[in-house]
Amino acid sequence: IISPDYPISPCNSTQENELRIESTVQNMRKTIHTMRDSGTLVLPVVHGYSSDKVDHVLKSMSKIIDHIDLIGLGSLVPLLTPFTLDKARKVIDLIMCLRRKLPSALLHVFGMSSVLTMHLAFLSGADSVDSQSWIRSAGYGKIQIPGRGQLFVKKNRKYKYQQWSKELSMNSFDCDCPVCKENELDTLIRSKKARAIHNAYTLCSEASKAREMVERGEYVHFARDRLKNTVLFALFRHIQERVKKQSFV
């Protein structure tokens, strides 16, 4: 189970975020105490927007847990919204920081699992990811496509961040998801439910392919191909540069 937590936000005051982080640690203490004889695995969640804060939270957790085998990283969605490359670099650095401090732990990253950003998380050291992007993007009239990202199939003038989502050309679209195989492509335009099913299927399929490539030792090349024609390729380069620097430390 996930230890109940209090997410933080860059919009909060420093005092408010500190209080939320401390409350999260206290909840983790209570959860572990309650579940200690049940054999249930508890996933503690780290919240912090700097390496120093991540280190502080881990030190607090180490007083409660003898050995951290599972760890989650949260509060990334408020940090990433609205999306910019600089914000994404900060998130990548946080994931890599947590991975360095806990090299053998299973690391789960919350809120970073679009069909493209999942690869940034995996390359940075995450073992698993999740988010609501599959249903949220469907509501905005978008579908997710490997190697291309989130594209509009339905015009949405209310969407605030149009610059990050281009409109899909249906002439070049090909998909084998349950919706697209059994229906006309207009179904994606008409139905939010159809878009959500398409997105969920696509995300799960892409994660499965990523795991397969990791097992084959070909994941970095695979992720490069997925990101090379997108605005996120600069972040792929950022990760590779960070990895190279770390290898010389």
Side-chain angles (χ1 to χ4, degrees), residues 23 28 38 60 67 85-86 88 99 103 149 156 169 184 223 236:
S23 296
M28 185 193 68
S38 69
S60 297
H67 184 72
L85 293 179
D86 285 341
R99 172 49 71 203
N156 186 341
S169 170
E184 296 293 330
F236 174 87

Side-chain angles (χ1 to χ4, degrees), residues 109-128:
V109 172
F110 292 91
M112 199 173 177
S113 71
S114 79
V115 75
L116 293 180
T117 58
M118 70 165 63
H119 295 302
L120 299 175
F122 292 151
L123 288 166
S124 301
D127 295 296
S128 59

Side-chain angles (χ1 to χ4, degrees), residues 145-158:
I145 304 176
R148 300 182 67 184
Q150 304 183 60
L151 285 84
F152 283 101
V153 294
K154 180 180 180 180
K155 292 185 181 296
N156 186 341
R157 299 183 184 279
K158 295 182 180 180

Side-chain angles (χ1 to χ4, degrees), residues 30-41:
K30 294 175 183 177
T31 302
I32 290 177
H33 177 76
T34 301
M35 306 303 295
R36 62 184 176 183
D37 297 325
S38 69
T40 302
L41 293 176

Side-chain angles (χ1 to χ4, degrees), residues 210-239:
R211 286 192 291 270
E212 178 185 346
M213 291 300 166
V214 168
E215 292 174 359
R216 290 165 56 177
E218 300 174 7
Y219 179 64
V220 174
H221 180 73
F222 173 76
R224 179 187 176 91
D225 282 347
R226 288 302 206 224
L227 296 166
K228 65 182 180 182
N229 294 320
T230 75
V231 295
L232 301 185
F233 191 61
L235 301 174
F236 174 87
R237 292 184 179 278
H238 174 73
I239 294 169

Side-chain angles (χ1 to χ4, degrees), residues 49-50 79 85-95:
Y49 291 149
S50 69
L79 184 59
L85 293 179
D86 285 341
K87 291 178 181 179
R89 287 188 187 94
K90 184 170 184 177
V91 167
I92 286 167
D93 291 347
L94 286 171
I95 297 171

